[in-house]
Amino acid sequence: ELKRALDALLAQLQLGGGAEPGTADLEPVIESAAAALAEGAYAEAEQVYAALVAELPERNDLKAGHARALLGLSRLAEAEAVLAAIPAAAKDAGIAQARAALALAKEMPAGADLAALKAKAAADPSDLAAKYDLAGALMAAGDRDAAADALLG
């Protein structure tokens, strides 16, 4: 259902023609992209954010959302390129989250096995390094809640 709604919104965005869309006109599309990202529908979120960034290139928050969707798809190099286009002075919680997620993803070994990291952390709850590694892998995968649970649990 979410995919259908996003496809319809993406089609509306692409059918905008030469007219300049207003931010208010795109607000439902922006909200849908954020919802897709929050639900872990990274492929859909990436498509919508890419289209939004093309329409509103001055919106750094949309670039950050696009980068987070790319990170969820394990496309680190592309996410890094998107974040590099955001001025370092840009201050936004979403930008900071995307930059932190990229940093964590780059620290994770290639193909980090979440199941193995979960098993290691569960085997010895006092192993803080295992909890940190698991939280980092979960953050890199875009699962902030589970990452927080891994650190706090």
Side-chain angles (χ1 to χ4, degrees):
E1 184 176 315
L2 175 64
K3 182 170 177 19
R4 253 194 322 264
L6 287 173
D7 287 343
L9 288 170
L10 189 57
Q12 287 176 347
L13 182 61
Q14 291 172 338
L15 292 175
E20 285 294 316
T23 302
D25 297 337
L26 295 178
E27 203 56 43
V29 180
I30 293 169
E31 289 172 9
S32 294
L37 186 62
E39 292 177 17
Y42 301 118
E44 290 83 6
E46 190 278 328
Q47 289 178 334
V48 177
Y49 274 119
L52 286 167
V53 169
E55 291 291 327
L56 301 168
E58 71 283 357
R59 294 277 306 264
N60 290 325
D61 60 325
L62 299 177
K63 292 176 189 173
H66 187 211
R68 289 180 54 215
L70 289 165
L71 287 170
L73 294 169
S74 299
R75 292 164 49 185
L76 274 58
E78 291 173 74
E80 188 169 20
V82 169
L83 288 172
I86 299 173
K91 302 293 181 207
D92 178 84
I95 295 168
Q97 288 174 346
R99 287 180 174 150
L102 176 63
L104 283 170
K106 289 169 86 175
E107 286 180 15
M108 286 294 103
D113 183 3
L114 276 177
L117 291 171
K118 286 179 183 178
K120 184 176 177 185
D124 183 4
S126 65
D127 185 351
L128 298 180
K131 287 183 176 185
Y132 179 80
D133 289 345
L134 174 58
L138 290 166
M139 277 297 293
D143 195 345
R144 294 183 312 221
D145 293 337
D149 290 344
L151 286 175
L152 301 173

